Amino acid sequence: AVVTHLANKAIETGDTAWLYHFWNEVREGFPAHGFYVRRILDVDTVAERAIVADEREFAGSIIPSWEAALDTEVTLWRRLRLRALLDGRSGFHILNDTELTRDQKANNSERAVRRDELPAAERLRYFGPYVGSNGGPVLPSDVVGDYVQDGTFLRVRELAATLELPRVWAARIGASVASLTLAGRNVALWSRYGGIDPEVPALSTPTLSRIDLFAVPQATRWIGRLTLQF
């Protein structure tokens, strides 16, 4: 088993207090390239509006603070070997831009299609209109806090079972040893993330971020193998 912990913090940003690009900023005293959003302070169902903070606030780091892996193997009846590899990460966030795009741009998510059927508080929270403390309008693209989601996950990365066949069977085809293996990769996933797959890469262009915009999930693969030794 391996467990690692990483903590990062911007110490100095030069002449500016912070650097900004889209939803990510570098602010002194906070994790580098963290998510910053205008938080919803109140949902006013009478006035039909959602009131948001005037300033962006830290919403989560894009870099996992904890990573762990467990690789184990056991042999049963001297012939059957079972192996499993589990790994996971926590302490990081993902912008679920897939859900955001379907809600606010494409308008084809279930939530968007059923917008008029939603409870007033939920409808206003996700679709606005949004205003600041002074009543001025706020762009929906600034109010993405519900889409910055916990990426914590645990995945069964690999499973494998290898059966050593009787030597007499191997001898029939001129081999000395024969074995059968069935193996799978990305077999199971448990996650707090609301999207399909939390393993979204941290993009480096145009700036470091972790955004899931219709990202392709990790594929599950199964492999069968016959091994012969002559």
Side-chain angles (χ1 to χ4, degrees), residues 14-25:
D15 295 334
T16 58
W18 47 269
L19 308 176
Y20 165 71
H21 187 86
F22 293 117
W23 299 287
N24 298 99
E25 301 178 14

Side-chain angles (χ1 to χ4, degrees), residues 31 80 189 230:
L80 180 62
L189 172 68
F230 295 93

Side-chain angles (χ1 to χ4, degrees), residues 127-144:
F127 300 104
Y130 304 106
V131 299
S133 61
N134 62 356
V138 175
L139 293 176
S141 58
D142 273 349
V143 191
V144 297

Side-chain angles (χ1 to χ4, degrees), residues 80-171:
L80 180 62
R81 297 196 309 275
L82 303 176
R83 176 178 175 269
L85 172 61
L86 288 80
D87 62 39
R89 299 175 186 173
S90 67
F92 72 106
H93 285 71
I94 304 165
L95 176 66
N96 191 342
D97 203 8
T98 302
E99 186 177 341
L100 173 62
T101 297
R102 295 191 64 195
D103 278 352
Q104 296 187 359
K105 299 175 184 178
N107 294 310
N108 62 1
S109 67
E110 182 178 1
R111 183 186 292 127
V113 171
R114 296 179 52 250
R115 179 183 311 192
D116 294 336
E117 303 172 23
L118 297 176
E122 183 178 355
R123 173 173 50 81
L124 293 169
R125 183 174 190 89
Y126 282 96
F127 300 104
Y130 304 106
V131 299
S133 61
N134 62 356
V138 175
L139 293 176
S141 58
D142 273 349
V143 191
V144 297
D146 288 332
Y147 302 97
V148 177
Q149 300 170 358
D150 187 351
T152 297
F153 74 89
L154 174 65
R155 190 186 293 274
V156 180
R157 184 70 61 187
E158 296 178 2
L159 279 180
T162 300
L163 177 64
E164 299 290 341
L165 300 178
R167 289 181 179 273
V168 64
W169 294 8

